[in-house]
Amino acid sequence: MGNLFEKLKNFFSTQKLEVCMVGLENVGKTTMLNQLSMGDPSFTVPTVGLNVRTVKKGGVTMKIWDIGGQVQYRPEWGNYAQGCDALIFLVDTSNQATLGTSKKELHNLLDNKSLRNIPILIIGNKIDVNPHLNEKQLIEGLNLDYITSNGWAVAMCSALTGNNITQVVDWLITKSKKQ
Ligand SMILES: Nc1nc2c(ncn2[C@@H]2O[C@H](COP(=O)(O)OP(=O)(O)OP(=O)(O)O)[C@@H](O)[C@H]2O)c(=O)[nH]1
Ligand SMILES: [Mg+2]
């Protein structure tokens, strides 16, 4: 009965969420978008500009912007992030060499005053690859404890295998707004 009520509630619900997903090139943003929208990682090529897709999860209609991570696209991240309800910042946990650049770009992004208070989910991706950074190493390596302008959370995932994708979906659902 509870399940039926939940299904009806989801069917009639009109909650919406606009999400901006950024991170360095090759970290797995488009693969994550494919998992969220199709339940499959699919083959990806480096994103030219951006992808945008609408995904319905748990009664929430999510519009997800996946912005290219190559150097030439990074100055645009803030423009797309403005006005979004939630941000996702992906990091490749199997590539420790890029952690410093991720940290710099994340803090640059959040220096933007218009992004103040937008909740941000840091995704430690590629945990299927060994070795990979653990959550504590990610938090320290990205200096997350210094972020006071935005509420943040961390999810350790594999966009390729789908491992822990439900954590991402659950976090997004909690950020949705009734329209
Ligand atoms: N092993 C592993 N590989 C992954 C994972 N997620 C993505 N990849 C691979 O990483 C490569 C880059 O993935 P993309 O999703 O295209 O990366 P992106 O962040 O969208 O890159 P840009 O569009 O250039 O910004 C592809 O070969 C993916 O198959 C993961 O969780 N584990
Ligand atoms: Mg991409």
Side-chain angles (χ1 to χ4, degrees):
M1 193 63 181
N3 196 15
L4 176 65
F5 177 72
E6 206 43 44
K7 279 187 181 151
L8 284 170
K9 194 179 87 186
N10 289 345
F11 185 76
F12 290 111
S13 139
T14 56
Q15 293 185 81
K16 291 204 169 120
L17 189 74
E18 202 141 332
V19 185
C20 181
M21 185 159 61
V22 294
L24 305 186
E25 72 274 28
N26 201 49
V27 295
K29 299 176 297 296
T30 305
T31 308
M32 179 63 72
L33 184 67
N34 290 342
Q35 273 288 0
L36 291 170
S37 59
M38 306 183 296
D40 188 287
S42 298
F43 176 77
T44 61
V45 292
T47 301
V48 176
L50 59 87
N51 300 297
V52 60
R53 233 172 268 167
T54 301
V55 178
K56 197 161 183 192
K57 295 276 182 200
V60 183
T61 303
M62 302 173 185
K63 188 173 184 185
I64 306 180
W65 299 83
D66 157 30
I67 318 295
Q70 292 176 51
V71 174
Q72 66 268 34
Y73 302 122
R74 295 180 200 164
E76 297 300 321
W77 291 357
N79 295 332
Y80 288 101
Q82 276 179 41
C84 279
D85 305 304
L87 305 177
I88 294 179
F89 187 91
L90 265 90
V91 179
D92 178 351
T93 60
S94 73
N95 188 352
Q96 193 158 5
T98 57
L99 190 62
T101 311
S102 280
K103 175 177 81 172
K104 189 187 93 201
E105 294 294 353
L106 173 65
H107 288 268
N108 265 353
L109 180 72
L110 297 183
D111 277 347
N112 186 335
K113 298 264 182 298
S114 54
L115 305 186
R116 193 165 271 274
N117 294 327
I118 303 179
I120 179 160
L121 180 66
I122 315 294
I123 296 183
N125 193 35
K126 305 199 186 184
I127 60 167
D128 59 292
V129 180
N130 280 312
H132 61 262
L133 299 164
N134 64 32
E135 187 169 333
K136 186 167 176 279
Q137 291 168 321
L138 193 65
I139 290 172
E140 285 174 4
L142 295 174
N143 266 355
L144 296 187
D145 286 329
Y146 288 85
I147 298 176
T148 52
S149 52
N150 303 67
W152 55 269
V154 176
M156 304 295 284
C157 296
S158 170
L160 191 68
T161 66
N163 190 10
N164 283 348
I165 297 293
T166 49
Q167 276 188 21
V168 177
V169 173
D170 290 348
W171 184 86
L172 288 171
I173 290 171
T174 65
K175 303 302 168 205
S176 69
K177 292 194 299 199
K178 281 210 171 63
Q179 297 294 301

